[in-house]
Amino acid sequence: MPRLVIDDLQIEVPEGTKVIEAAERLGIMIPRFCYHKALGSAGACRMCAVKFIHGPFKGLQMSCMIDAQDGMVVSTTDEEAVAFRRQVIEWLMMNHPHDCPVCDEGGQCLLQDETVSGGHGLRRYPGRKRTYHDQYLGEFIAHEMNRCIHCYRCSRFYQDFAGYRDLGPMQIANRVYFGRFRDGPLESPFAGNLVDICPTGVYTDRSSRYKARRWDLQRVPFLCIHCSLGCSTVASARYREVVRIEARFNESVNGHFICDRGRFAYPYANLADRPRRARVDGEDASLAEAVRAASGRLDQISMNAGPDAVALVASDRCSLETLAVLKRISREKGWRHPAVFPRPDLEHKTRRAVSRLDRRLAVSMRELESADFILAVGIDPVHEAPMLALALRQAFREDAGIVVMDPRPVSAPFDFDHVAIAPAEIGGCLSRITEALSALQADSAAQGKETRRPEAAGPLRADLDSRIAGIVERLRGSRNPVIVCGTDIVRDSTPDRAADLARLLLQLKARPCLFFVLPGPNSFGAVLLAESPGRSFSDVVQDIEQGKVKALLVVESDPFKNFPDRERLERALDRLDLLAAMDYLPTSVVGRAHIVLPTCTVFECGGSFINQEGRVQRVEPVHEGGIPVHQVSGGGHPPRVFSHEVPGGEIEAAWRTALEVAGYTNARDNLSILKIMAEEHPGFARCRDIPTSRSFRVLPDAGDRPPVCEETGDRAAPEAADTLEVVLVDRFFGTEELSGYSPVIQNADSEPLVFLHVRDAEPLGIAHSDWISIALEGGGLEVRAGVSAQMAEGVLVIPRHRLLEWQKLGPVPAQIPFGRISRAGKE
Amino acid sequence: MIPEALKRELLERTARAEHPREMAVDVMYALQGYYGYMSDEAMEEAAEIVGMTPLELEELATFYDFIYRRPVGRYVIRVCDSAVCWMEGYQSVVDHLTSRLGIGLGDTTADGLFSLIPVCCIGYCDRAPAMLINRKVYGELTPEKIDRILQKLATGKPAAGEE
Ligand code: SF4
Ligand code: SF4
Ligand code: FES
Ligand code: FES
């Protein structure tokens, strides 16, 4: 490890560390623009010049371009270096429009900081400035090219790091321009990171434009809850309104970046039609009154019809606090344990995934980046766990091989082999890979015996054989393979099969190698707290229909979003004696509930969530809640009347209100939520000792459990050749619940397509982007078709998009006969 | 749209290349030869042939002097503005050209005959100052010599090296 001296301080750094980085470790921040930890060095801006006094380099050099070496003596304060940097910043400012007062970057701008630190204060250049035309880059990002200092960070991020190809540098010399070929929305789902990464105000967040200076904001280290990965963010609020989300570095989860869903989903917290007032039977009430009413009626029903006539419904966007409290009160009251998952299969697969993950097997997303071979099954990364796609891209850039086994027309910012097979075939392939690998293993263990070829077992398609053999070979030849497994579209036993393969790989390679993607931000927490086997919402509906359940307390959950049969759900809810809803979203359930108890969003009350690798992450509130000032004032001056009350400020975290509904009178003051959590699951005891900025994993140590592979009757692949299997899927925008309420995301979203294979489409006379109609019992579904050759045959891929009434499909899984699908006349 | 035959030929040549993108400049030249310059539509056509995005091709087209993203005159005059020519009187060459043609650098004459643009060293330093018209090089330029060349081109006598 090289040891060097920077500004009279000694430091030892790992081989390959740049001098700029070594200095940073000493707390010396050498000015820089183009250097960025995730993007590396470019030597483009010349801002990081320092003086090399002793060692292999001499004189003025760029500290971002030179590796730290033994015996180097470096000065960052040398007169020559200081003068050089002062000149560089003067050049860089030559064409700058000096529009800081109207620039959103002002106050958090690296260019401002380095101009000051470089000592440039007086403009000497009297000539004309170079100016550019700006482009329309979509709903998320504003473009102001005149502010550019040509550090190339944006294009290096956009093209090299993230792998998208529609933004980059054009022109030459003094005219170099960063933008698109034509105006138009940026294609990358990670484009929002340009806002964070540009050291000046070329790219700014349109959704928060002109709303605040950084120092006006309440800024808190935060957590993204828009998929199961749990990326780190910084959330900012002003005047009781969330105004901006930025990426926050997390060395285990997301690295430096986040996706655009995570960045632009926040407006759900600011909605004008958010439930802000409690309601009882259609009348506004105070929260206390509504709690009293709910509490009384629930007790009444418990008394008359037995406590298990009361059922709780939650969702995986509930915090761990809320889920723990619901578990506690349902036990103490004898109510039915909360149903968290909309479908039994999701609950089952999540539970299997969680129970198979342990400390030795689980890889974090950052560790995944150093894998050299990745087999991803039943997952469409960009759509289901966006930042996973970026992690896979980093592995790909280091030459990892990637195989994606999935029926969808998967597209991703890296090269991969796509094994496009139906969901039913995935599990079988995994088993065969495991068998073949362990057979080879046994052979090489028993030397001398002739090598046995893995037998082709199971009724699989012949053309898969060679591909499977290829995967087996690559797994064998890799040093650090990882299995990524989704839980949405796969069959019930697939997570177990993936875990079996991962266990074998762990034996062979002695490295963690399993990465699950779960349905939602707190699915992991939900199954940890669930009774086993847990119940899903469809069980609840059945119980209502059979008259066993008479009251429903729905907590931060919208069954209408996911329940496959809307009419049946409406009928069931109408039978209830009491429907009480607690939520911060204006959901359909809130609209029909007898009693509405508004709750706080995670921005207002904080909370803990467990991501898909078992990482418990806790955040503090960003602001105290209440109705945004501009909504109270109608956009004008804030009210001039003084009061101690914050409008809309009486609402609380769901867990507090739930405790009060259950009769805990002291919920507000004395109860320690951390104590409740620790009592409900021993794994959460550590929450008490861990500061919110740190996370920990609740995973069992390895080896203490034999793999209990529950035999589950998977649905077989459809036999009939004249039907298509419906595969309901998530999409980057439009299917996740919270971001679906964000106006900026709604504007940016594109029309949802239903995909089918060319060979299935052709006989029906359907071409790409034709309107098709799907005739169903619950009515027809008219939608635009996507026709692709890069997907499995025999499936119809339908996004659960908020603009598609896919719920009409009736109980899913479903087979749709070809005869029901036809070209629609619509243009 | 370029003729089917040309398109087929370009696709074949691209297919033979080890990396399709190494054909980017050749393909743009071919399209430029056909259209006279690279319009946005031509850029998109070329991008499709070499399997690049229009942006990626634009990065190259706007960096490389010999791809025209705007219409140019029949004769493109490129005056060398590199060191040796600059020492040998580049400025007076440019002054003479601009006053004779009545256009500035980067412009095209109203009759569509001449475009004038600066260019980096064209390897004619020993006969500086130099310029290039379409594919023909002219050195040791003087005002009289320039007049003769322009005269010849303007009166329609075929200029050698015309594309
Ligand atoms: S737009 Fe921003 S990130 Fe891109 S080169 Fe200019 S200053 Fe750098
Ligand atoms: S990948 Fe998931 S957790 Fe990360 S920022 Fe995107 S939506 Fe949020
Ligand atoms: S940071 Fe070193 S040259 Fe830009
Ligand atoms: S400098 Fe003009 S030709 Fe070389």
Side-chain angles (χ1 to χ4, degrees):
Chain A
M1 297 232 297
R3 186 191 288 265
L4 69 165
V5 173
I6 304 174
D7 290 350
D8 301 330
L9 299 168
Q10 215 179 54
I11 186 167
E12 203 174 316
V13 291
E15 205 73 54
T17 309
K18 301 289 181 211
V19 171
I20 196 171
E21 197 57 52
E24 198 172 327
R25 292 190 190 195
L26 283 170
I28 303 168
M29 209 56 186
I30 299 176
R32 84 277 309 271
F33 289 116
C34 62
Y35 178 77
H36 184 280
K37 281 191 188 62
L39 309 176
S41 310
C45 71
R46 317 316 278 174
M47 194 61 209
C48 66
V50 296
K51 181 84 163 271
F52 286 72
I53 294 162
H54 285 298
F57 292 89
K58 290 279 161 51
L60 218 54
Q61 302 282 352
M62 297 308 125
S63 58
C64 72
M65 297 301 285
I66 290 180
D67 285 348
Q69 285 170 45
D70 247 343
M72 277 181 168
V73 176
V74 177
S75 166
T76 70
T77 54
D78 179 274
E79 240 172 73
E80 203 187 334
V82 171
F84 183 90
R85 295 199 301 258
R86 186 185 309 126
Q87 209 139 66
V88 170
I89 192 65
E90 187 171 359
W91 291 327
L92 292 176
M93 285 301 291
M94 222 161 71
N95 288 301
H96 188 277
H98 291 190
D99 59 346
C100 304
V102 293
C103 173
D104 264 18
E105 191 82 359
Q108 56 183 67
C109 176
L110 196 60
L111 183 57
Q112 287 182 330
D113 296 348
E114 306 294 39
T115 304
V116 172
S117 77
H120 170 53
L122 279 179
R123 186 173 180 81
R124 293 188 292 172
Y125 173 71
R128 286 166 70 90
K129 293 178 187 178
R130 169 209 56 217
T131 54
Y132 295 107
H133 289 289
D134 299 321
Q135 288 182 322
Y136 169 74
L137 298 178
E139 292 302 299
F140 297 135
I141 294 180
H143 194 216
E144 294 271 359
M145 255 308 287
N146 290 342
R147 298 174 184 148
C148 178
I149 49 137
H150 303 96
C151 67
Y152 286 75
R153 273 192 191 185
C154 54
S155 54
R156 288 187 289 148
F157 167 75
Y158 201 90
Q159 298 190 357
D160 305 347
F161 193 93
Y164 287 81
R165 300 166 64 189
D166 61 317
L167 176 128
M170 289 165 279
Q171 305 278 352
I172 190 170
N174 199 33
R175 297 194 308 272
V176 171
Y177 181 90
F178 294 83
R180 283 170 47 85
F181 181 67
R182 293 173 192 276
D183 285 32
L186 292 166
E187 285 163 18
S188 168
F190 308 101
N193 292 298
L194 295 174
V195 174
D196 295 347
I197 211 169
C198 176
T200 151
V202 177
Y203 308 103
T204 49
D205 180 338
R206 281 180 55 146
S207 73
S208 68
R209 214 167 190 212
Y210 303 142
K211 286 202 179 146
R213 287 277 175 236
R214 172 116 153 212
W215 54 75
D216 295 325
L217 295 169
Q218 292 163 282
R219 298 180 89 236
V220 169
F222 218 65
L223 170 71
C224 179
I225 56 165
H226 304 289
C227 82
S228 67
L229 297 177
C231 297
S232 293
T233 61
V234 177
S236 297
R238 189 182 192 208
Y239 294 148
R240 304 199 291 260
E241 189 167 11
V242 184
V243 297
R244 186 181 299 160
I245 302 291
E246 293 154 288
R248 176 164 60 97
F249 178 70
N250 183 319
E251 64 183 352
S252 314
V253 184
N254 53 305
H256 286 87
F257 305 110
I258 56 173
C259 76
D260 287 359
R261 187 201 287 170
R263 189 180 297 268
F264 299 108
Y266 71 86
Y268 73 86
N270 305 334
L271 293 176
D273 57 350
R274 230 185 94 173
R276 298 281 188 180
R277 293 276 303 173
R279 272 200 338 257
V280 178
D281 298 325
E283 301 289 326
D284 279 357
S286 73
L287 185 65
E289 284 161 7
V291 163
R292 234 175 292 125
S295 191
R297 292 192 204 179
L298 286 170
D299 284 344
Q300 192 69 45
I301 292 169
S302 296
M303 215 143 68
N304 296 345
D308 76 339
V310 176
L312 303 185
V313 178
S315 80
D316 55 13
R317 64 175 157 96
C318 293
S319 67
L320 218 44
E321 287 78 355
T322 302
L323 292 172
V325 161
L326 294 182
K327 182 175 182 189
R328 160 75 56 101
I329 64 175
S330 66
R331 193 178 56 242
E332 291 190 349
K333 291 286 211 175
W335 294 340
R336 290 179 184 231
H337 199 82
V340 176
F341 292 87
R343 320 191 303 261
D345 68 303
L346 267 192
E347 195 272 342
H348 175 86
K349 287 179 285 193
T350 307
R351 192 154 42 79
R352 293 311 306 151
V354 167
S355 75
R356 292 299 299 272
L357 214 54
D358 64 41
R359 221 168 274 280
R360 282 195 314 168
L361 272 178
V363 258
S364 70
M365 191 148 67
R366 295 283 278 167
E367 287 162 347
L368 184 69
E369 293 179 1
S370 49
D372 62 347
F373 179 71
I374 295 152
L375 172 61
V377 299
I379 175 92
D380 188 348
V382 170
H383 294 287
E384 293 183 273
M387 283 302 291
L388 169 64
L390 222 46
L392 291 173
R393 162 127 187 123
Q394 303 324 306
F396 162 76
R397 290 174 78 202
E398 297 294 324
D399 289 329
I402 302 176
V403 175
V404 177
M405 210 179 258
D406 193 277
R408 285 165 276 195
V410 177
S411 80
F414 47 82
D415 295 348
F416 58 95
D417 294 331
H418 188 185
V419 183
I421 49 177
E425 291 176 303
I426 295 175
C429 283
L430 282 173
S431 304
R432 290 191 24 182
I433 293 169
T434 311
E435 281 158 30
L437 205 58
S438 63
L440 286 170
Q441 184 55 16
D443 287 344
S444 53
Q447 272 180 12
K449 279 191 205 163
E450 91 228 52
T451 8
R452 201 168 34 123
R453 291 206 5 94
E455 298 295 327
L460 276 165
R461 301 209 316 265
D463 56 323
L464 271 181
D465 281 358
S466 66
R467 306 199 73 176
I468 288 181
I471 294 171
V472 171
E473 264 325 295
R474 291 170 86 176
L475 282 171
R476 231 159 67 98
S478 61
R479 184 177 34 77
N480 188 8
V482 172
I483 308 299
V484 176
C485 179
T487 42
D488 184 16
I489 64 147
V490 296
R491 292 291 198 260
D492 284 6
S493 69
T494 306
D496 274 306
R497 304 248 164 106
D500 291 341
L501 177 54
R503 257 181 99 90
L504 177 63
L505 289 171
L506 179 66
Q507 280 168 23
L508 299 177
K509 318 278 177 182
R511 281 171 182 262
C513 55
L514 185 56
F515 188 95
F516 281 115
V517 171
L518 300 182
N522 214 356
S523 307
F524 199 113
V527 296
L528 283 190
L529 287 168
E531 54 182 17
S532 164
R535 291 151 44 80
S536 75
F537 184 71
S538 36
D539 302 318
V540 176
V541 173
Q542 229 168 49
D543 289 342
I544 300 176
E545 286 166 344
Q546 293 168 4
K548 293 189 205 153
V549 166
K550 303 211 174 297
L552 219 53
L553 177 59
V554 182
V555 183
E556 297 180 343
S557 170
D558 183 8
F560 279 99
K561 180 171 180 292
N562 286 311
F563 195 72
D565 189 337
R566 190 179 174 103
E567 280 168 25
R568 181 174 159 210
L569 178 59
E570 283 174 354
R571 278 197 306 276
L573 294 185
D574 285 344
R575 292 188 54 154
L576 289 169
D577 294 340
L578 175 67
L579 174 61
M582 295 172 46
D583 211 333
Y584 48 80
L585 291 177
T587 65
S588 318
V589 167
V590 166
R592 334 167 47 96
H594 305 120
I595 298 180
V596 177
L597 301 155
T599 62
C600 291
T601 65
V602 65
F603 296 111
E604 295 137 33
C605 58
S608 315
F609 291 78
I610 310 184
N611 80 351
Q612 37 66 246
E613 40 138 4
R615 191 176 298 277
V616 182
Q617 308 191 95
R618 192 153 62 90
V619 291
E620 298 289 342
V622 185
H623 66 113
E624 272 91 68
I627 301 174
V629 171
H630 94 265
Q631 283 173 23
V632 175
S633 66
H637 192 279
R640 292 184 167 83
V641 199
F642 292 94
S643 115
H644 290 295
E645 311 283 297
V646 173
E650 64 169 355
I651 54 182
E652 303 175 324
W655 61 267
R656 279 190 197 276
T657 307
L659 280 175
E660 284 163 10
V661 167
Y664 286 73
T665 45
N666 54 353
R668 207 171 247 281
D669 327 300
N670 302 330
L671 264 170
S672 159
I673 183 65
L674 293 176
K675 185 156 164 279
I676 296 184
M677 285 162 70
E679 283 163 7
E680 292 308 321
H681 193 289
F684 304 156
R686 276 184 76 194
C687 287
R688 276 193 279 198
D689 318 324
I690 297 256
T692 45
S693 53
R694 299 258 310 280
S695 63
F696 65 93
R697 274 171 162 183
V698 271
L699 290 176
D701 290 329
D704 49 357
R705 297 165 311 165
V708 242
C709 188
E710 279 172 30
E711 261 324 307
T712 36
D714 281 349
R715 275 177 311 119
E719 290 289 318
D722 55 355
T723 64
L724 290 176
E725 179 182 358
V726 172
V727 182
L728 286 170
V729 300
D730 278 339
R731 197 163 168 274
F732 183 68
F733 287 144
T735 60
E736 191 267 333
E737 186 176 11
L738 299 174
S739 58
Y741 286 89
S742 156
V744 49
I745 283 184
Q746 290 172 3
N747 290 341
D749 196 3
S750 56
E751 192 177 15
L753 300 181
V754 163
F755 273 91
L756 70 173
H757 195 278
V758 204
R759 275 193 287 272
D760 294 326
E762 257 165 16
L764 296 168
I766 295 169
H768 188 74
S769 103
D770 278 352
W771 279 94
I772 57 169
S773 78
I774 307 171
L776 299 161
E777 267 132 53
L781 197 62
E782 296 238 317
V783 59
R784 228 183 250 283
V787 173
S788 167
Q790 318 302 324
M791 60 179 287
E793 288 176 55
V795 296
L796 189 66
V797 177
I798 304 181
R800 294 184 200 91
H801 197 278
R802 60 186 181 86
L803 299 180
L804 273 188
E805 285 185 88
W806 58 270
Q807 289 91 341
K808 283 188 190 164
L809 290 166
V812 174
Q815 303 289 332
I816 295 192
F818 274 104
R820 297 264 182 104
I821 305 169
S822 60
R823 259 190 74 173
K826 205 157 154 185
E827 263 322 300
Chain B
M1 295 285 274
I2 51 172
E4 213 27 63
L6 177 57
K7 182 162 184 185
R8 214 170 322 115
E9 183 210 317
L10 292 174
L11 282 170
E12 273 163 25
R13 282 172 61 196
T14 309
R16 277 200 303 275
E18 196 179 338
H19 303 288
R21 46 170 71 207
E22 72 198 35
M23 291 294 297
V25 170
D26 296 51
V27 168
M28 283 195 284
Y29 265 147
L31 268 69
Q32 182 165 287
Y34 180 76
Y35 290 116
Y37 78 104
M38 292 300 283
S39 63
D40 289 357
E41 292 69 28
M43 288 297 294
E44 279 162 347
E45 239 179 309
E48 206 184 306
I49 293 173
V50 288
M52 293 165 72
T53 64
L55 178 267
E56 288 169 328
L57 208 60
E58 180 81 331
E59 293 180 4
L60 190 58
T62 54
F63 180 85
Y64 184 46
D65 278 351
F66 288 75
I67 302 293
Y68 312 128
R69 287 288 277 112
R70 275 186 284 165
V72 288
R74 178 146 171 223
Y75 300 105
V76 180
I77 306 173
R78 301 159 191 277
V79 201
C80 171
D81 66 356
S82 290
V84 179
C85 292
W86 182 73
M87 291 190 296
E88 296 291 327
Y90 153 81
Q91 196 55 52
S92 61
V93 172
V94 170
D95 289 347
H96 188 71
L97 278 166
T98 48
S99 75
R100 280 311 294 262
L101 297 170
I103 55 173
L105 283 172
D107 294 340
T108 300
T109 52
D111 59 5
L113 217 44
F114 296 103
S115 294
L116 184 62
I117 42 184
V119 70
C120 277
C121 177
I122 47 177
Y124 228 45
C125 320
D126 56 329
R127 303 182 59 193
M131 67 180 183
L132 190 67
I133 301 183
N134 290 359
R135 288 195 172 168
K136 190 167 158 58
V137 199
Y138 302 85
E140 289 164 352
L141 297 175
T142 58
E144 298 70 38
K145 189 167 176 185
I146 292 173
D147 286 347
R148 276 201 306 279
I149 297 166
L150 292 183
Q151 178 66 29
K152 198 166 143 196
L153 295 176
T155 53
K157 296 224 185 104
E162 186 186 331
E163 270 175 289

